[in-house]
């Protein structure tokens, strides 16, 4: 790895690309679930992305969800 490519690597600390969006996600998680722990924020982030993708491209998500190896990764519909 050269010096130029090292400057492009992400640090161990995750710096949000859009801090305001992270603040919004934190508040959204807090209002949605009652508390905004880092784990819950990450779960809500995944849920938001999955939900958006399932509405934007239903066939893609249906195909992905039909694969047995993805069964564990699918959001639990009882938790929405």
């Amino acid at each position: 790895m050269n010096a130029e490519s090292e400057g492009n690597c992400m640090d161990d600390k995750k710096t949000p690309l859009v801090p305001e969006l992270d603040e919004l996600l934190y508040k959204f998680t807090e209002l949605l679930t009652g508390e905004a722990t880092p784990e819950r924020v990450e779960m809500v982030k995944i849920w938001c992305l999955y939900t958006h993708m399932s509405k934007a491209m239903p066939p893609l998500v249906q195909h992905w969800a039909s694969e047995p190896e993805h069964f564990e990764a699918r959001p639990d519909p009882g938790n929405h």
Side-chain angles (χ1 to χ4, degrees), residues 4 14 22 25 30 34 40 44 46 49 53 58 69 72-73 78:
E4 183 178 301
K14 291 185 178 180
D22 269 13
L25 182 60
E30 184 178 44
R40 284 203 182 182
V44 167
I46 291 166
L49 180 60
M53 289 169 44
E69 65 267 16
E72 293 288 324

Side-chain angles (χ1 to χ4, degrees), residues 5-74:
S5 64
E6 285 181 37
N8 294 332
C9 291
M10 293 186 70
D11 297 332
D12 286 341
K13 288 184 178 181
K14 291 185 178 180
T15 306
L17 295 175
V18 183
E20 298 82 6
L21 188 58
D22 269 13
E23 293 168 14
L24 178 62
L25 182 60
Y26 180 89
K27 188 62 176 178
F28 179 74
T29 301
E30 184 178 44
L31 293 171
L32 185 67
T33 67
E35 67 177 330
T37 63
E39 295 82 20
R40 284 203 182 182
V41 170
E42 191 63 25
M43 288 172 63
V44 167
K45 193 183 302 184
I46 291 166
W47 173 75
C48 287
L49 180 60
Y50 182 85
T51 301
H52 177 74
M53 289 169 44
S54 69
K55 290 178 181 179
M57 293 188 178
L60 173 66
V61 174
Q62 289 169 357
H63 172 73
W64 177 84
S66 71
E67 298 292 324
E69 65 267 16
H70 299 138
F71 184 76
E72 293 288 324
R74 290 184 291 185

